[in-house]
Amino acid sequence: MKILLISGHGAGDSGACAKIKGKTYKEAEETIVMVKKIKEQLSKYNVTVDLYPTDRNAYEDAKKGCLKVDFSKYNYVLEIHFNACVNDLKGNGKTTGTEAFITTSDKTNKAEKNMLSCLSALGLNNRGFKSHNWTVINRAKTKGADSCLLEVCFIDDAD
């Protein structure tokens, strides 16, 4: 199996940001940390894992028609993001949660259900999976790769 990991935002687009307990979190930076950790964990299995160039913004590259990889060479493409909009910067004791997006043409969601289950085991609220043709995962799907945009958690939720 060949997997491509994409860190959302970047190349000048910080994505969602929050300052919690004196520390500023930027989605573009945290997604790079996350894809590197995922790659490290997946290296224990019989899979090949590549990272989309972390100095690039895959969404902007897709819009401009200049993606730096050929999605057809992958079995699975996972795009990592951090959600925002709750503005719970002090923590109210409730996590807002994690969710996964697959394309509207996807027939299965087993991998995504497993990812969400693992994240909810860490204490995050499982917000489930949703179907939406987000630019990058839809482009991957049209090239034959299963794909998912995973919102790991809400970057502006101190919990």
Side-chain angles (χ1 to χ4, degrees):
M1 173 172 258
K2 194 162 183 184
I3 299 170
L4 177 67
L5 301 174
I6 300 173
S7 54
H9 299 281
D13 175 5
S14 63
C17 299
K19 188 169 187 174
I20 298 174
K21 297 179 183 169
K23 181 175 179 184
T24 300
Y25 296 90
K26 295 179 181 178
E27 182 177 13
E29 295 171 1
E30 299 304 321
T31 59
I32 292 171
V33 170
M34 186 61 67
V35 295
K36 288 179 177 179
K37 288 184 182 290
I38 294 169
K39 181 177 181 173
E40 179 183 316
Q41 290 301 309
L42 289 175
S43 70
K44 299 174 185 176
Y45 302 95
N46 187 26
V47 296
T48 301
V49 181
D50 293 334
L51 296 181
Y52 192 83
T54 57
D55 62 337
R56 306 288 308 173
N57 182 322
Y59 168 71
E60 292 296 333
D61 289 349
K63 283 191 339 184
K64 294 174 185 170
C66 62
L67 285 162
K68 301 303 175 192
V69 299
D70 179 357
F71 287 146
S72 69
K73 295 183 179 188
Y74 294 93
N75 303 99
Y76 196 81
V77 174
L78 177 61
E79 183 179 2
I80 299 295
H81 283 266
F82 287 84
N83 222 332
C85 78
V86 296
N87 205 30
D88 177 23
L89 304 179
K90 292 184 180 176
N92 62 7
K94 300 175 189 173
T95 63
T96 310
T98 182
E99 59 192 353
F101 289 89
I102 56 177
T103 66
T104 58
S105 63
D106 277 306
K107 305 283 185 250
T108 65
N109 55 29
K110 184 177 179 185
E112 294 77 22
K113 281 184 177 180
N114 286 337
M115 283 187 266
L116 293 174
S117 177
C118 289
L119 288 168
S120 66
L122 297 173
L124 298 173
N125 179 35
N126 183 342
R127 295 167 53 93
F129 70 92
K130 295 153 177 77
S131 295
H132 192 284
N133 290 334
W134 294 115
T135 301
V136 175
I137 64 170
N138 191 49
R139 188 74 48 92
K141 189 65 176 179
T142 63
K143 296 293 184 179
D146 285 329
S147 56
C148 171
L149 186 153
L150 179 65
E151 295 278 7
V152 176
C153 65
F154 281 72
I155 201 165
D156 62 348
D157 184 347
D159 298 302

